[in-house]
Amino acid sequence: MGAIAPASRALARAIANEVQRERPAVLIEVGAGTGAITRALAASPLVPERFVVIERNADFARLLRSAFPTLEVLNHCASQVHSLAIESRSPVTLVSSLPLLSMPREEAQRCIDAMLCVIGRQPGSRLIQYTYAAPHQRPFHHIPPGWRWRRAASVWANLPPATVWSLECPAGLINGVH
């Protein structure tokens, strides 16, 4: 848990709306916590067939399995997300609720590297990350060449206010290459 309160419904809706902007073949949520974001994603009208939820805390993982019995809930660290078996050429949307800016630097970097590995190897994939930092501060800076952060939403009805970011590879580039 990286905030003083769970994500608000407004933040969860903003993330679900961003996920729906481009329907993924696979949806992965890391750092699901108590499921505030998971609830909105699961209720979305275009939930993909494969929806994987990764939560490191065993108690939260049990809670998530109970609340969402049809989802694939794994009790793992987000730094292991790259080890998931995903059909090649299946676009992935990876939603991260990890508090990257407040995590120990080495731990955050392991998670970032694993997430970048997943979206980098699956064409048409992206990472959605929200932050509580200043609205202009990207979640992290060392991204693959050709990729870019896009500010998807600012959510003032959250404690603290949040910014939703989407890390995307522009059209015409596959894994950062023309």
Side-chain angles (χ1 to χ4, degrees):
M1 304 268 304
I4 57 176
S8 69
R9 285 188 181 143
L11 177 55
R13 251 190 329 271
I15 292 168
N17 289 342
E18 181 59 23
V19 167
Q20 297 302 310
R21 194 174 62 77
E22 293 180 28
R23 187 175 183 192
V26 179
L27 177 59
I28 303 170
E29 180 186 11
V30 295
T34 59
I37 304 295
T38 313
R39 194 168 295 105
L41 293 173
S44 295
L46 301 174
V47 178
E49 188 173 314
R50 186 164 186 210
F51 182 175
V52 181
V53 178
I54 298 176
E55 173 51 50
R56 181 172 72 175
N57 180 291
D59 292 333
F60 288 162
R62 276 191 293 280
L63 174 76
L64 292 163
R65 280 189 199 103
S66 175
F68 306 101
T70 61
L71 302 184
E72 185 179 344
V73 177
L74 305 174
N75 180 208
H76 296 303
C77 179
S79 65
Q80 299 304 307
V81 68
H82 67 290
S83 65
L84 282 175
I86 302 171
E87 187 175 316
S88 66
R89 317 241 7 121
S90 292
V92 172
T93 294
L94 203 158
V95 174
S96 170
S97 295
L98 299 175
L100 295 172
L101 298 174
S102 62
M103 289 170 66
R105 184 173 289 142
E106 288 179 9
E107 181 182 1
Q109 193 59 56
R110 283 192 300 274
C111 293
I112 291 166
D113 291 345
M115 292 187 297
L116 290 176
C117 179
V118 170
I119 65 169
R121 72 180 182 216
Q122 304 293 131
S125 295
R126 63 200 173 115
L127 167 66
I128 298 170
Q129 173 77 53
Y130 62 93
T131 66
Y132 300 124
H136 65 278
Q137 185 177 357
R138 272 87 176 145
F140 53 90
H141 296 285
H142 300 290
I143 59 176
W147 288 71
R148 65 178 175 84
W149 284 110
R150 181 180 58 79
R151 188 176 336 177
S154 293
V155 182
W156 299 103
N158 192 72
L159 185 63
T163 303
V164 178
W165 294 93
S166 183
L167 180 61
E168 305 167 344
C169 187
L173 291 180
I174 298 177
N175 299 336
V177 178
H178 285 283

